[in-house]
Amino acid sequence: MTPGARHHDLPAFYRLVALDQVASTNDEALGLVAEGAGEGTLITARRQTAGRGRRGRTWQSDEGNLFLSLILKPKGGLGAAGAVGFTAALAIADAIACLMGHDAEISLKWPNDVLIGGRKASGLLIERAAGAVDDAFVLGVGINLVSHPHDTRYPATDLCAEGAGDVSVSMALQEFCSAFLRRYHGWQEDGFGPLREAWLARARGLGEKLSVEIEERRFDGVFRTIDETGALCLDLGPNGVKKVTAGDIYFHDSPGKHPC
Ligand code: BTN
């Protein structure tokens, strides 16, 4: 089954299923995988009523922001999910750089958040499609274009608040789709090495002290690098280097909440 239609503003890789209101585009995509949808099937929605973030958080999903989920079946199978996250975060950063049209301070927060001026403007959620015939997963992306939540522990922002002017959902979708395809093909052809270098070049907090929260535990150390699997290497001083594969990081010099 090949749901969705070729959309002429998007590269041929994509088959677009554009929806109005859904609970979560990731849920829609997971449903389509179960029905046999192929790689490149792209689900968008104008708004979500139950947008999901990482670690069971909710993702504020008001109209005007970009919500999409993309079905992927990369070589490397499900073990490639980590690399896809870094690929997508870089693509979001590329797209935001184009959309901002000036020297916005865009950086990456481990593992996959994209920041503008140190505040979170985008996040992504990768979910495994259980029971799919091939190894498939769903890449869910949210980019705050015109609004952002004000009650988050880590400060958030949106492109408009950062001075991007009028950025439509369709412009943002086109920029993301082009950037993602470039990065995705680059990774599939050249492997994780160049992707890792590109990610590190934009990483926030490298060489600085930060806190990592893993479930209920907190570790303070210096962010040295990410390794060849994408794990964060946290220098704990005399206690050695801890490799972190999942968790939340907090910088010690985080910006305040955005005033608007
Ligand atoms: C995070 O930073 O916590 C991840 C946020 C991911 C949000 C996107 S919006 C489109 C897709 N559908 C969802 O329910 N979640 C992802």
Side-chain angles (χ1 to χ4, degrees):
M1 178 195 150
T2 316
R6 166 100 175 78
H7 187 284
H8 292 289
D9 292 331
L10 300 180
F13 174 79
Y14 298 99
R15 287 283 175 280
L16 181 64
V17 181
L19 303 173
D20 190 42
Q21 175 169 302
V22 296
S24 155
T25 54
N26 267 32
D27 289 344
E28 298 292 324
L30 290 166
L32 288 176
V33 171
E35 291 171 22
E39 177 165 77
T41 306
L42 172 68
I43 294 90
T44 61
R46 282 204 326 180
R47 71 183 86 76
Q48 302 183 114
T49 54
R52 288 203 297 278
R54 290 172 63 238
R55 308 186 163 272
R57 298 180 188 118
T58 57
W59 184 257
Q60 185 173 307
S61 301
D62 300 332
E63 192 165 342
N65 291 341
L66 177 64
F67 317 109
L68 68 87
S69 296
L70 177 62
I71 295 173
L72 294 169
K73 302 183 179 185
K75 63 178 189 220
L78 294 169
V84 168
F86 289 97
T87 306
L90 276 164
I92 296 167
D94 295 343
I96 291 178
C98 284
L99 294 165
M100 294 293 290
H102 59 87
D103 287 339
E105 189 212 319
I106 298 163
S107 57
L108 299 170
K109 174 175 177 283
W110 187 90
N112 299 144
D113 292 344
V114 182
L115 312 178
I116 309 175
R119 299 179 181 91
K120 177 165 168 168
S122 173
L124 58 91
L125 177 68
I126 296 175
E127 292 182 303
R128 181 187 171 151
V133 179
D134 315 318
D135 284 342
F137 46 81
V138 167
L139 165 68
V141 172
I143 305 181
N144 296 335
L145 302 176
V146 297
S147 64
H148 65 268
H150 293 268
D151 55 356
T152 46
R153 180 163 168 210
Y154 189 85
T157 191
D158 62 75
L159 270 68
C160 191
E162 298 297 331
D166 274 347
V167 175
S168 69
V169 171
S170 66
M171 280 161 64
L173 179 66
Q174 280 176 45
E175 291 295 351
F176 170 76
C177 286
S178 307
F180 179 77
L181 207 53
R182 270 196 308 276
R183 293 283 186 184
Y184 187 62
H185 285 157
W187 163 59
Q188 295 257 282
E189 278 154 29
D190 305 327
F192 188 62
L195 196 67
R196 174 177 173 272
E197 293 301 323
W199 191 92
L200 285 169
R202 272 202 186 272
R204 180 170 157 88
L206 261 188
E208 293 171 17
K209 243 188 141 177
L210 46 75
S211 305
V212 181
E213 288 185 8
I214 306 169
E215 307 294 340
E216 303 295 299
R217 302 183 67 196
R218 172 180 155 153
F219 300 86
D220 289 325
V222 176
F223 177 16
R224 290 288 175 216
T225 188
I226 57 171
D227 73 6
E228 63 290 342
T229 67
L232 181 145
C233 302
L234 189 69
D235 188 342
L236 300 174
N239 293 326
V241 172
K242 181 173 180 60
K243 291 202 174 187
V244 183
T245 55
D248 284 316
I249 67 173
Y250 293 93
F251 306 112
H252 291 186
D253 68 339
S254 276
K257 308 251 182 217
H258 206 284
C260 52

